[in-house]
Amino acid sequence: MTHPIFWVEIIPGLDKFPGHTLHATLVLVLLVAFAMVARRQLVGAEAAGRALVPDDRLTVRNMAELFVGAMVNLTEGVLGRAGHRYVPLFGSFFLFILIANLMGLVPGFAPPTSDFNVTFGLGVASFLAYNAIGIRAQGLVNYLKHFVGPIWWLGILMVPLELIDNFVRPVSLALRLFGNMTGDHLVLEIFTDLTKVIIPVVFYFLGAFVSLIQAFVFTLLSIVYVNLAVGHAEEHH
């Protein structure tokens, strides 16, 4: 959704930067601020001897703990007990994409994920992460063995297919997120221009739902790719 980015015009010099860069940076600032507040509240609870006792009201600490718990359950559900070590990675993917998607629902802001540069960057980050995790888990030589396949003489066929499959993944992640968010916010913009009541509200709820689903899909696929990269270790031992 292409909103007039009025806040950029207010601050001198910001209009020289691409809109998606500014909004992606703003998302990062919001996430860092959220983490700092959650950490401060957790440290305060530990100092008071209440680290294991939830706050009696909704706080940033409570929201962070609920999110971390949900992310642990998701990663361990796919990767097993070892999945908890990757929670910071997948949690960062999910929160960044979700906030970036939802930003497009706020008048005056544009979602960074409606720019292919941002979504492709996320796809490359996922690609580098699962390959690095796979290599660290089983060593470079063993990791490369799965590109050959279960039978060595099939390598002439399997290696090109495996390479294509792996190099297409970051592009498919990027295109899926970019296409869905661009289309969703374009539809919202069209109906908002046509009428200002009732119908736009429905599409705002739909936009929020799509934003959540797309963040979840990207994160889940990244977890699956890590599972595939690590899982090949058992096949070759």
Side-chain angles (χ1 to χ4, degrees):
M1 182 175 179
T2 307
H3 292 296
I5 311 177
F6 61 80
W7 67 276
V8 172
E9 300 176 356
I10 296 175
I11 304 176
L14 286 185
D15 56 343
K16 299 179 181 179
F17 297 93
H20 67 273
T21 301
L22 292 174
H23 287 105
T25 303
L26 180 58
V27 173
L28 290 175
V29 171
L30 292 174
L31 291 178
V32 170
F34 176 84
M36 291 178 64
V37 173
R39 183 180 183 279
R40 185 180 64 183
Q41 292 182 357
L42 180 58
V43 170
E46 289 178 345
R50 298 185 297 101
L52 300 179
V53 180
D55 294 332
D56 55 1
R57 55 189 176 85
L58 183 62
T59 61
V60 174
R61 174 201 166 193
N62 278 347
M63 290 189 292
E65 290 177 342
L66 288 173
F67 172 74
V68 171
M71 192 56 59
V72 168
N73 290 335
L74 177 62
T75 54
E76 289 189 351
V78 179
L79 299 173
R81 294 290 296 174
H84 71 276
R85 71 182 65 176
Y86 308 120
V87 167
L89 171 65
F90 300 130
S92 298
F93 276 144
F94 182 86
L95 283 180
F96 179 88
I97 295 172
L98 178 62
I99 300 302
N101 291 347
L102 293 175
M103 185 172 287
L105 302 178
V106 181
F109 294 83
T113 45
S114 64
D115 189 283
F116 184 73
N117 293 311
V118 175
T119 59
F120 184 65
L122 290 167
V124 170
S126 177
F127 172 81
L128 295 176
Y130 79 73
N131 279 289
I133 291 171
I135 293 172
R136 186 177 64 178
Q138 52 183 302
L140 179 60
V141 175
N142 286 330
Y143 180 70
L144 293 177
K145 283 182 180 179
H146 82 269
F147 289 96
V148 178
I151 305 175
W152 67 268
W153 49 268
L154 285 178
I156 192 172
L157 296 176
M158 294 299 298
V159 170
L161 292 176
E162 288 285 350
L163 289 176
I164 292 173
D165 175 56
N166 276 268
F167 281 107
V168 165
R169 288 175 184 176
V171 179
S172 66
L173 286 173
L175 287 175
R176 182 183 297 105
L177 181 58
F178 166 73
N180 279 284
M181 297 316 302
T182 300
D184 173 72
H185 288 84
L186 180 61
V187 169
L188 179 59
E189 182 183 42
I190 292 173
F191 278 94
T192 301
D193 290 339
L194 291 176
T195 177
K196 302 301 180 182
V197 294
I198 302 178
I199 293 180
V201 175
V202 174
F203 278 91
Y204 266 95
F205 280 107
L206 179 61
F209 178 73
V210 171
S211 298
L212 176 63
I213 292 300
Q214 290 306 312
F216 176 78
V217 168
F218 187 102
T219 305
L220 182 60
L221 287 176
S222 297
I223 296 174
V224 171
Y225 293 155
V226 169
N227 185 49
L228 292 174
V230 175
H232 286 297
E234 298 179 358
E235 298 176 9
H236 296 286
H237 286 319

